[in-house]
Amino acid sequence: MSVVPDGLIQSLEDVATRLRIDSIRATTAAGSGHPTSCASAADLVAATFFAAMRFDPDHPRAVTSDRFVLSKGHAAPVLYAAWAEVGLVKRDELTTLRQLDSDLEGHPTPRLPFVDVATGSLGQGLGVGMGLALGARLAGADARTFVLLGDGETAEGSVWEAAETAAHHHVENLIAIVDVNALGQSGPTMLGHDVRAYQRRFAAFGWRAQIIDGHDMAQIVAALRRARRARGAPSAVIARTVKGKGIEGVEGLEGWHGKPLPNDAAEKAIAVLERRLHHLPPPPIARPRSSRPATTPPPAANVPDVPGGEVATREAYGTALVRVGARDPRVVALDGDVKNSTYAERFLQAFPDRFVEAFIAEQNMVSVAAGLAAQGRVPFASSFACFLSRAADQLRMAGISRSNLKLCGSHAGVSIGEDGPSQMALEDLAIFRAVPEAVVFYPADGVSTDACVQLAAAHTGIVYIRTTRMKTPAVYPADETFTVGGSKTLRASDGDRLTIVAAGITLHEALAAHADLAAAGIPVRVIDLYCVKPVDAAALLAAARATGNTLLTVEDHYREGGLGDAVLEAVADAGVITHRLAVREIPRSGPPRKLLERYGIGRGAIVTEVRRIVGARS
Amino acid sequence: MSVVPDGLIQSLEDVATRLRIDSIRATTAAGSGHPTSCASAADLVAATFFAAMRFDPDHPRAVTSDRFVLSKGHAAPVLYAAWAEVGLVKRDELTTLRQLDSDLEGHPTPRLPFVDVATGSLGQGLGVGMGLALGARLAGADARTFVLLGDGETAEGSVWEAAETAAHHHVENLIAIVDVNALGQSGPTMLGHDVRAYQRRFAAFGWRAQIIDGHDMAQIVAALRRARRARGAPSAVIARTVKGKGIEGVEGLEGWHGKPLPNDAAEKAIAVLERRLHHLPPPPIARPRSSRPATTPPPAANVPDVPGGEVATREAYGTALVRVGARDPRVVALDGDVKNSTYAERFLQAFPDRFVEAFIAEQNMVSVAAGLAAQGRVPFASSFACFLSRAADQLRMAGISRSNLKLCGSHAGVSIGEDGPSQMALEDLAIFRAVPEAVVFYPADGVSTDACVQLAAAHTGIVYIRTTRMKTPAVYPADETFTVGGSKTLRASDGDRLTIVAAGITLHEALAAHADLAAAGIPVRVIDLYCVKPVDAAALLAAARATGNTLLTVEDHYREGGLGDAVLEAVADAGVITHRLAVREIPRSGPPRKLLERYGIGRGAIVTEVRRIVGARS
């Protein structure tokens, strides 16, 4: 066991003391925030930054730089103070904490150059850290990711999803530091100061796990360095700490979560802390040993053709993923143990090194993808669309992070058939439309699916692609072009009585209904709204104006939040009359075609509704 | 250790063999389904129903009856076959599996009298089981809950949320049975047949954990009976099994997940199984030892007054919860370690026996609530609204289950201020509106919050109540009445130029804007849309017709899926011109009032938008 020199210890103790002072000062200035959560972690943060991490302060997001993820995002002030010690934040800016237009927000966001992802929804940092660590490994970089967790947040199952999969994939460059201060927001944590229980849990999940006193700098440094050297498995450092440590009058007390000190108490506490300073500068920052690793060209693969003909869009997704992966070495794919259903297995077969099996743990799949994105990768994560809702909070946070994530949800809607409602995504469009800046695609055939995948890879930001279980006929020739925010008018004539707007499976129903209606002398327009967000407002409005100011939306989704709402958003202030067909009740198991009619979104239902609308008008 | 008689063993083996035969027959008839997942579990299910559980087959949902939750819902056919053995399903109905209008759906739903909650989204059964077990304990019933999990689904973090909290709360009447068949859908599970690893994990999470051969009936019975007797902690039975066990030609093979046998293979496999029968009837069903326990009257509590005056709606929620809990002994409350922020702590103080601290594990909080609801309780679960998105998939499944759940999300929108975007729910209305049959309330003052809580308790089904962090003035007198699907027109005059529709925090901004506009000679109507779903279409349409066919919605939510979309849904087919103010970008930390204006939903922004609309029209 290496001995840590006294000079380093005292220097680190000074860093920790300054982190406490800065955290008190910033939160008192802001009038809100979590100084006691900063104080329990200050020694751990000081040692991590100045005695364990190797990073380039000029390029904190370089793949060769060790990363630090503050999973307990409410301790943001201690993070900002640490980067002030490094020199990336000006010390006098620290007191702009939580002010409008200060990037030092209440919880960290990637508006700051040293923050990889937004945190503040607890339990998500370890999965992101796993993604960052995998990203470094993929790039051949000798870099670690350190994740600081609160003890209370280990109650989140997502932590254990990250733990089990990181161990399974031998992510040895991932280090979890658990700040066991025993106090949650509203009371003691479940395990209190039972650090052995935390150790048993991490060990049972396949991790190396050390217990330390989180306020003994020599122990902290030794443990972090051991963890940094560890091979074969990820490492956890379980640190027994005291909430509010070093802050006179609040140390170890309940009732101080998320409360700044009043001015006088802050000054008094700071004076006590200042007397503890050895007045040493921070230790020098350790730089990465190697420069940026060479990126390897993508392995040769047989690039399949654009998927044409009759094909399920989910299968077309798998083919398209191989096509995009062959061209772009940044592309990686992730699966939640349904790769044979989503067809992500085709990417695994072509590029096994760029595939992450995330098992049945969708929250972690999305967090790992966010971490990979923060390493410059372009992750495509797929599962049944309904199971992506498991990760709604991770997607929400990815939205705030502006992560460059691509998600594919297969088996959307009642058209999956016999498996029944638990497997039918009928709210996924609502969830993804509500992710800020997200692009939402819902292609109807192989060619458009391929285009959506290519567009997704080229677009910076979150993109969701919704696919269908059953085979559907080709709609487009292989050379058709598509755009983010586009639509296609597939049927149009001068006398059209209204415009049907559909996408995915219901587009085929709409085309069939169009034929039936044409035969009956009722011409209608049909638009393929393959991009549900951003929505092609101009095309929708023009079509409405040309067809009796009337639209009819048809979607294999609940009425709330989906394609119909997207269309309304585009035309609501123009007074367009919009009728809607959508799933309006909890569906049952049954044959797909029967379900489409039963729930009022099939060919027959569309014909009936158009006749009703046209009849009422004439 | 008790010895299990040979006669019982042979009888149970016959049950298990029939379960396998029925599972093969049903899935082959359906042409889809998961016979191999049924086969690995058949012995476990047979023993659970006929040698471990005590239940009343005429009242499977009685609080004195042991419950069985099939967390691995894709093994539905073995569940249906078991209830056929009990007599609650006719054997010849088993082959209607997955047909439209058969209640024997692809995955179990509570359309069936013996299914407590829908399963099929993996990893949710243990939390529901914990809720069922807690419900029995609350009622003083000596009843157990048995939960059958697949091994692959233990990758879901929600399983470990249930594990840790069940141990913490000493839910000794909860028994998990893990069917370790080592094969997932698309490949081997992470742990394969390493049953000791499962044992270590459950033990580390505070459970008693036994390892058995899941196809040795004597071992199974002994283990289940030990688990049934265990005290002080929940029990896990880790069963080593073989996927497809007993089905000739597929036993233990990869590539057979979710695939029915072809007709000839099915007949052959059934013939082999039939030769194994001892031709014994099932063992008699063990009945509960006691009759229905007496319900205890609610403890006396000081019933607070209706919260009036200036009050935060989150605080009014806490008061209202005590009021409803004092009248209705069925009411229980659950918290995710934010009870001091949501004010659920007031219920804890008044009724500690009816309060469940679910810690920072929102998925499990919702699953436990669903289990409690299935025991006849009326659970109110609360957290920050943004963190309820963590449980979006559990809410989706609760929707399918038609669970009688009440959720309260506090700290909605940018109006929370300095904590920043990670703590701001701006998509919660989209998520809850897309839950089928859910009621969504968004009250603006103490009186209406109280009314929403009372209405929620009286309404059967999912109800979501959105509350606000900051204090807001009173809008209503204490005796005002509210309804599910109602709205209130708060400002109206004959010359109104348009109608502003708002709720919660933006209602106060709209009322302030109304005053400013009135002073400027621009009369407008103001509607409080306190019930966002179902929406008061008649009132909205009438207001639009009376005010220039024009509405303006204002919401502290992203533009997608919230109040604006709800209004559009109501008036879209009437050609009403609807303008919308909503949050359109990722917000920052800052003072609440400044954020309301910065993101275009405050008093000033409303005045500006009304002037623009009115100016453009005149």
Side-chain angles (χ1 to χ4, degrees), chain A residues 291-480:
Chain A
S291 61
R292 188 179 179 82
T295 50
T296 48
N302 291 325
V303 182
D305 293 335
V306 174
E310 183 172 271
V311 64
T313 53
R314 63 180 167 125
E315 183 175 354
Y317 169 76
T319 304
L321 204 54
V322 175
R323 286 166 43 76
V324 78
R327 270 211 311 279
D328 188 344
R330 300 173 308 155
V331 170
V332 295
L334 301 95
D335 163 55
D337 190 24
V338 287
K339 55 186 175 286
N340 53 340
S341 290
T342 61
Y343 284 91
E345 66 181 3
R346 293 200 176 153
F347 192 92
L348 167 64
Q349 286 148 12
F351 310 111
D353 297 343
R354 287 192 271 149
F355 186 88
V356 180
E357 179 53 66
F359 296 94
I360 308 173
E362 297 79 7
Q363 294 189 77
N364 189 56
M365 178 172 74
V366 171
S367 289
V368 170
L372 285 162
Q375 288 283 28
R377 296 279 161 177
V378 180
F380 280 78
S382 51
S383 183
F384 281 31
C386 61
F387 302 138
L388 292 179
S389 68
R390 199 62 159 262
D393 194 28
Q394 280 75 10
L395 293 165
R396 180 179 76 87
M397 294 299 292
I400 295 169
S401 297
R402 295 188 163 87
S403 288
N404 192 23
L405 287 192
K406 321 302 162 185
L407 289 306
C408 176
S410 69
H411 294 70
V414 300
S415 58
I416 67 157
E418 289 82 359
D419 270 344
S422 66
Q423 319 292 299
M424 296 169 175
L426 290 162
E427 57 293 288
D428 55 318
L429 294 176
I431 290 173
F432 278 100
R433 282 184 63 243
V435 174
E437 302 176 14
V439 171
V440 177
F441 286 126
Y442 186 13
D445 78 346
V447 170
S448 54
T449 301
D450 185 73
C452 291
V453 170
Q454 313 300 324
L455 288 168
H459 177 88
T460 301
I462 297 178
V463 180
Y464 174 59
I465 303 168
R466 186 185 217 221
T467 65
T468 298
R469 177 174 172 271
M470 68 163 90
K471 288 189 182 190
T472 45
V475 176
Y476 298 105
D479 60 351
E480 186 81 20

Side-chain angles (χ1 to χ4, degrees), chain A residues 32 34 98-103 105-107 109 111 119-124 152-158 160-161 164-165 168 184-190 197 200-201 204-206 335 337-341 357 359-363 384 386-387 389-390 392-394 396-397 399-400 402 418-424 426-427 430-431 433-434 436-437 533 558-561 565 568-569 572-580 586-591 594-595 598-599, chain B residues 32 34 98-103 105-107 109 111 119-124 152-158 160-161 164-165 168 184-190 197 200-201 204-206 335 337-341 357 359-363 384 386-387 389-390 392-394 396-397 399-400 402 418-424 427 430-431 433-434 436-437 533 558-561 565 568-569 572-580 586-591 594-595 598-599:
Chain A
S32 64
H34 303 74
R98 291 171 165 248
Q99 290 177 17
L100 189 50
D101 296 318
S102 168
D103 286 343
E105 299 193 73
H107 294 74
T109 74
R111 294 187 202 269
T119 54
S121 182
L122 291 169
Q124 300 191 15
E153 71 173 306
T154 67
E156 290 286 9
S158 50
W160 303 103
E161 294 181 4
E164 72 200 354
T165 47
H168 179 80
Q185 172 179 322
S186 71
T189 61
M190 271 187 277
R200 278 195 301 274
R201 289 181 184 186
F205 276 71
D335 163 55
D337 190 24
V338 287
K339 55 186 175 286
N340 53 340
S341 290
E357 179 53 66
F359 296 94
I360 308 173
E362 297 79 7
Q363 294 189 77
F384 281 31
C386 61
F387 302 138
S389 68
R390 199 62 159 262
D393 194 28
Q394 280 75 10
R396 180 179 76 87
M397 294 299 292
I400 295 169
R402 295 188 163 87
E418 289 82 359
D419 270 344
S422 66
Q423 319 292 299
M424 296 169 175
L426 290 162
E427 57 293 288
I431 290 173
R433 282 184 63 243
E437 302 176 14
K533 182 185 170 190
Y558 286 134
R559 190 176 154 88
E560 294 86 4
D565 279 359
L568 288 177
E569 183 183 316
D573 61 0
V576 172
I577 296 167
T578 309
H579 301 273
R580 304 171 61 184
I586 299 165
R588 287 172 168 273
S589 295
K594 282 192 184 175
L595 293 183
R598 168 78 163 250
Y599 298 108
Chain B
S32 63
H34 303 74
R98 291 171 166 249
Q99 289 178 16
L100 190 51
D101 297 316
S102 168
D103 286 343
E105 299 193 73
H107 295 74
T109 74
R111 294 187 201 270
T119 54
S121 182
L122 292 169
Q124 300 191 15
E153 70 171 308
T154 67
E156 290 285 9
S158 50
W160 303 102
E161 294 181 4
E164 71 200 354
T165 47
H168 178 81
Q185 172 178 322
S186 71
T189 61
M190 272 187 277
R200 279 195 301 273
R201 291 181 183 186
F205 276 71
D335 164 54
D337 190 23
V338 288
K339 56 186 174 287
N340 53 340
S341 292
E357 179 52 66
F359 297 94
I360 309 173
E362 297 80 7
Q363 295 187 80
F384 281 30
C386 61
F387 302 139
S389 68
R390 200 62 159 261
D393 194 27
Q394 281 76 11
R396 180 179 74 87
M397 294 300 291
I400 295 168
R402 295 188 163 87
E418 290 82 357
D419 271 344
S422 66
Q423 318 293 299
M424 296 168 175
E427 56 294 289
I431 291 173
R433 282 183 64 242
E437 302 177 13
K533 182 186 172 191
Y558 286 134
R559 191 176 154 86
E560 293 85 5
D565 278 359
L568 288 178
E569 181 182 317
D573 61 359
V576 172
I577 296 166
T578 309
H579 301 274
R580 304 171 61 183
I586 299 164
R588 286 174 169 272
S589 295
K594 281 192 185 176
L595 293 183
R598 169 78 162 251
Y599 297 107

Side-chain angles (χ1 to χ4, degrees), chain B residues 578-617:
Chain B
T578 309
H579 301 274
R580 304 171 61 183
L581 295 176
V583 180
R584 286 165 184 259
E585 61 185 298
I586 299 164
R588 286 174 169 272
S589 295
R593 304 225 69 83
K594 281 192 185 176
L595 293 183
L596 286 170
E597 291 302 337
R598 169 78 162 251
Y599 297 107
I601 56 172
R603 172 186 195 154
I606 297 170
V607 168
T608 303
E609 177 68 359
V610 170
R611 285 180 175 279
R612 187 191 68 76
I613 297 166
V614 170
R617 232 173 29 195

Side-chain angles (χ1 to χ4, degrees), chain B residues 247-429:
Chain B
I247 307 180
E248 207 173 62
V250 304
E251 202 178 285
L253 296 185
E254 278 195 64
W256 275 96
H257 181 94
K259 289 185 187 160
L261 271 67
N263 273 316
D264 51 347
E267 286 315 311
K268 210 171 139 192
I270 289 169
V272 172
L273 283 164
E274 281 177 340
R275 285 198 291 277
R276 294 194 194 154
L277 286 170
H278 311 286
H279 299 287
L280 295 169
I285 292 161
R287 305 275 169 152
R289 286 199 176 123
S290 59
S291 61
R292 190 179 178 83
T295 52
T296 48
N302 290 324
V303 182
D305 293 335
V306 174
E310 183 173 89
V311 65
T313 53
R314 63 180 168 125
E315 183 175 353
Y317 169 77
T319 305
L321 205 53
V322 175
R323 286 166 43 76
V324 78
R327 271 210 310 278
D328 188 343
R330 300 172 307 153
V331 171
V332 294
L334 301 95
D335 164 54
D337 190 23
V338 288
K339 56 186 174 287
N340 53 340
S341 292
T342 60
Y343 284 91
E345 64 182 5
R346 293 199 176 154
F347 191 93
L348 167 64
Q349 285 149 12
F351 311 109
D353 296 343
R354 287 191 271 149
F355 186 88
V356 180
E357 179 52 66
F359 297 94
I360 309 173
E362 297 80 7
Q363 295 187 80
N364 189 57
M365 177 172 74
V366 170
S367 290
V368 170
L372 285 163
Q375 288 282 29
R377 295 280 161 177
V378 180
F380 280 77
S382 52
S383 183
F384 281 30
C386 61
F387 302 139
L388 292 179
S389 68
R390 200 62 159 261
D393 194 27
Q394 281 76 11
L395 292 165
R396 180 179 74 87
M397 294 300 291
I400 295 168
S401 297
R402 295 188 163 87
S403 288
N404 191 23
L405 287 192
K406 320 301 162 186
L407 288 308
C408 176
S410 69
H411 294 69
V414 300
S415 57
I416 67 157
E418 290 82 357
D419 271 344
S422 66
Q423 318 293 299
M424 296 168 175
L426 290 161
E427 56 294 289
D428 56 318
L429 294 177

Side-chain angles (χ1 to χ4, degrees), chain B residues 53-54 70 81 128 167-169 189 194 222 307 383 599:
Chain B
M53 282 170 71
R54 298 181 169 276
L70 183 71
V128 171
H168 178 81
H169 289 299
T189 61
D194 185 356
S383 183
Y599 297 107

